[in-house]
Amino acid sequence: MKLAVIIGVSEYQYDDFENLDACKNDAELFKNVLSDVAKIDDVLFINKGEKAYETKKKLADFVSKHKTEKVDELLFYFSGHGGRYEEDFFYIFPDFKEAKKESTGLRNSELDGLVRTLKPKLFVKIVDACFSGTQYIKAESDTKKELEKSAKDNQLNDIYFMFSSRDDQPSLAGHEYSKFTESLFTGLLDHTGEIRYRDIAAYIADDCNAHSFPKPIFISQADLIEIFGFITDNTHKLILKAFGLEEKPDEKESGIPPEAKESENILLELVRRKADSEYCDEETVIKRLALLRDKFQEQNWPKDIVSIFEIGVLSNVAPNPIPNSQRIGVWLNENRGKEFFATPTYKEESFELEEYKPLPKKPIRSAIEAAKMAAYSNIYGGTDNTEYQLETIWKTRMIVDGFSYTFQNENNILKISLEPKHTSVKPLVLFIVCIYSRVELSVQYSYEFIKFTNWDTRAHPKCENWKVKTLKMKDEANMAVVTDEIINEVSVWAVTEITKTLQT
């Protein structure tokens, strides 16, 4: 028996979480595709804004219904907001409140516990979720360990887990389909016949990397041969129709083979769709950067921060004075294939190196010594009796020392100064460096308190810890999410540090 649970959550009751229009579409298309490619004995489909209590009851009833049956596979799919609290991932439902997270959300470990009751031979979990609304700093490896530990504790042996992003990144959701789920379906268009879960994961990984989407997490404890389903032409048509790429009857031309015409139409529509949805012209880029600047104005900061600081936003900042700009140059060098309108700068550096240098050969002083050397050569081969000495030498190399822009705009770099209204608080500075192409915007940011070195003298910022958030330049909605996340991160950190300092 093969079972599936599909959940899509698009609308949220409270302001803590923005509505995600794409998630409802994600779940609907996933259900339709799954029904087309695989024989599913029973599907629990939750996609009508069910509250947490209703969803958890339906899950429990579904498990109870099948707990006495032999379950070969359980496939769980979720698209919506996610959160991380108390070292566990939570599935966020429409009525979620952090103060009531246990009753209005679902722990990942609680879900695994429910699944354990069914004892499925294979458990597949595909999660397309934004990790917004929580504050944490975790490594990808730690997240994997926690997910694997939950599965192990609940005796779930053969598993495939696919999470849309690391736990310090938001997932991306467009107006039609979320990017991670869209990547999954696009991968199916490249296949015909049987497709393994491993094939799907491989395509998603390559696609997310190529488009600089948030890095997904994959966990596999299975044989790598498990089949997702059987892809047919009907599957392709179903996905293309959902993407709005179906062929119009009046576009057919005589004399052209149907398969060639279909291929031509699909390619043309894909080109148009990508151009419309992802690529920006110069005017749009300028507007987006101005919008990002305006998002950091004082009215968008929390009240407790505004009560302590006066906030000023300075544009037209040149790359040269940016502290620790070498880190951004190194990042650009590592991502040099993405056609950003910025480039690393380099300088020549001298460095010491120890090498063995051959010493001058000693002259042969006698016929006897020459005979000994000839005998040694006949026995061991070769005549090289060179001696070497370890010496220190100087060489030069080119290293990254910063970056420069190939497109100049007044909002390329922003300096947000938070000037304290009270002498008990130190100044705070936030640098925003926008690295972008026609498609992608990488927001590099660093923040710190500035020490006083004299009554009227301040130390220079160091920017020792640059962080990065990446999004599509055309995605105005996600730009608001990213700026809100940065402001929230800086605000929480500042309040915590100020409180800690004043209480000591």
Side-chain angles (χ1 to χ4, degrees):
M1 171 173 284
K2 184 171 182 176
L3 306 176
V5 176
I6 301 172
I7 302 175
V9 184
S10 286
E11 297 182 359
Y12 290 84
Q13 296 181 10
Y14 304 107
D15 294 337
D16 296 341
F17 297 93
E18 293 186 359
N19 291 338
L20 300 172
D21 298 336
C23 297
K24 189 173 183 178
N25 299 334
D26 292 343
E28 183 72 33
L29 182 54
F30 191 89
K31 177 175 71 74
N32 294 338
V33 169
L34 183 63
S35 299
D36 181 75
V37 304
K39 182 183 181 301
I40 308 297
D41 296 285
D42 197 2
V43 177
L44 174 60
F45 184 57
I46 300 173
N47 199 32
K48 296 182 179 179
E50 289 88 343
K51 294 182 179 180
Y53 172 78
E54 299 173 277
T55 298
K56 294 168 90 168
K57 184 178 185 304
K58 288 183 177 182
L59 278 169
D61 291 344
F62 186 76
V63 169
S64 296
K65 177 181 176 182
H66 297 290
K67 67 180 181 180
T68 60
E69 298 166 341
K70 181 182 177 182
V71 179
D72 297 310
E73 180 180 338
L74 174 61
L75 172 57
F76 176 86
Y77 172 86
F78 177 87
S79 181
H81 275 299
R84 197 169 182 284
Y85 306 92
E86 299 175 359
E87 304 301 313
D88 206 351
F89 174 78
F90 276 72
Y91 301 93
I92 304 300
F93 298 127
D95 56 335
F96 181 84
K97 293 290 288 184
E98 184 177 351
K100 298 180 178 180
K101 59 181 177 294
E102 301 294 347
S103 57
T104 59
L106 176 65
R107 284 181 179 268
N108 179 69
S109 54
E110 182 183 352
L111 172 66
D112 287 352
L114 281 170
V115 174
R116 176 181 59 187
T117 304
L118 294 173
K119 300 178 182 177
K121 183 178 179 182
L122 174 67
F123 179 33
V124 179
K125 188 186 298 180
I126 301 175
V127 179
D128 192 342
C130 287
F131 295 87
S132 58
T134 56
Q135 291 294 322
Y136 40 75
I137 301 176
K138 293 285 290 182
E140 178 186 351
S141 59
D142 291 336
T143 302
K144 285 188 175 182
K145 289 177 182 177
E146 290 165 8
L147 295 173
E148 289 170 345
K149 182 180 184 301
S150 175
K152 183 179 180 181
D153 290 346
N154 288 286
Q155 301 172 356
L156 302 172
N157 299 318
D158 290 348
I159 59 174
Y160 278 106
F161 291 170
M162 306 181 196
F163 275 64
S164 63
S165 56
R166 284 175 41 183
D167 62 357
D168 59 352
Q169 296 177 310
S171 180
L172 297 175
H175 295 297
E176 295 178 1
Y177 295 95
S178 302
K179 300 302 182 184
F180 178 83
T181 295
E182 181 181 298
S183 179
L184 186 157
F185 292 132
T186 305
L188 299 186
L189 291 174
D190 280 355
H191 287 79
T192 301
E194 284 188 342
I195 184 170
R196 302 173 301 157
Y197 285 108
R198 177 66 184 88
D199 298 326
I200 295 174
Y203 182 89
I204 293 174
D206 288 341
D207 193 48
C208 288
N209 182 61
H211 293 89
S212 299
F213 294 157
K215 184 179 179 181
I217 295 173
F218 300 108
I219 298 173
S220 174
Q221 293 177 186
D223 296 330
L224 304 182
I225 60 173
E226 290 78 6
I227 303 299
F228 170 69
F230 193 89
I231 310 300
T232 65
D233 289 340
N234 187 65
T235 313
H236 293 166
K237 291 177 181 178
L238 192 156
I239 295 171
L240 291 171
K241 182 177 180 181
F243 286 175
L245 302 179
E246 57 182 337
E247 183 180 3
K248 305 294 189 300
D250 57 356
E251 290 179 345
K252 296 180 180 178
E253 297 178 10
S254 59
I256 301 177
E259 61 273 14
K261 180 60 181 176
E262 181 180 356
S263 175
E264 177 187 338
N265 287 338
I266 291 173
L267 176 61
L268 179 59
E269 287 300 321
L270 281 171
V271 168
R272 289 174 176 170
R273 187 167 181 267
K274 286 293 183 182
D276 293 341
S277 64
E278 295 186 10
Y279 285 80
C280 292
D281 56 20
E282 181 177 341
E283 182 181 358
T284 303
V285 169
I286 292 173
K287 287 181 179 178
R288 290 289 185 270
L289 296 177
L291 174 64
L292 185 139
R293 175 201 62 206
D294 294 341
K295 290 288 184 181
F296 286 102
Q297 298 295 339
E298 184 171 295
Q299 63 268 22
N300 296 316
W301 288 76
K303 292 181 180 179
D304 53 352
I305 294 296
V306 175
S307 67
I308 299 173
F309 297 98
E310 290 183 358
I311 301 172
V313 179
L314 177 65
S315 55
N316 266 326
V317 180
N320 292 337
I322 295 295
N324 199 15
S325 62
Q326 179 187 16
R327 292 281 295 275
I328 298 176
V330 170
W331 186 91
L332 276 166
N333 191 55
E334 292 171 349
N335 292 271
R336 53 186 176 272
K338 294 187 177 181
E339 299 183 352
F340 287 115
F341 294 164
T343 182
T345 56
Y346 301 87
K347 69 176 181 180
E348 188 175 79
E349 176 189 71
S350 298
F351 65 100
E352 284 184 290
L353 184 67
E354 290 188 329
E355 284 188 357
Y356 281 97
K357 291 290 186 180
L359 294 175
K361 290 186 178 182
K362 297 178 181 179
I364 299 174
R365 298 179 179 180
S366 68
I368 295 175
E369 187 176 351
K372 286 181 180 180
M373 290 183 60
Y376 182 89
S377 176
N378 291 332
I379 296 172
Y380 297 102
T383 59
D384 187 9
N385 63 339
T386 305
E387 295 182 13
Y388 293 87
Q389 177 177 302
L390 189 64
E391 294 183 0
T392 299
I393 63 172
W394 284 90
K395 289 191 174 184
T396 61
R397 60 189 173 193
M398 300 302 294
I399 64 167
V400 175
D401 69 338
F403 73 101
S404 62
Y405 283 100
T406 56
F407 176 76
Q408 302 301 322
N409 181 270
E410 62 178 349
N411 297 313
N412 281 349
I413 301 175
L414 305 175
K415 180 181 180 181
I416 295 92
S417 299
L418 286 77
E419 293 294 328
K421 298 179 181 179
H422 309 277
T423 55
S424 56
V425 179
K426 291 183 290 188
L428 194 157
V429 64
L430 165 64
F431 283 100
I432 302 291
V433 177
C434 297
I435 304 295
Y436 52 88
S437 64
R438 296 179 300 160
V439 175
E440 184 178 329
L441 170 61
S442 171
V443 181
Q444 318 248 348
Y445 65 103
S446 180
Y447 52 89
E448 62 194 284
F449 282 111
I450 305 300
K451 297 180 180 179
F452 283 97
T453 59
N454 206 326
W455 292 108
D456 299 315
T457 309
R458 302 175 181 182
H460 294 292
K462 297 181 179 179
C463 293
E464 294 179 336
N465 184 24
W466 284 103
K467 300 183 178 182
V468 181
K469 290 186 179 291
T470 302
L471 65 152
K472 292 297 180 183
M473 179 63 80
K474 213 157 190 174
D475 193 350
E476 184 174 339
N478 206 41
M479 183 176 292
V481 172
V482 167
T483 53
D484 287 346
E485 286 177 348
I486 295 175
I487 288 174
N488 185 46
E489 178 183 330
V490 175
S491 300
V492 171
W493 175 81
V495 170
T496 302
E497 291 297 312
I498 292 171
T499 303
K500 187 191 306 181
T501 300
L502 297 182
Q503 287 179 342
T504 54

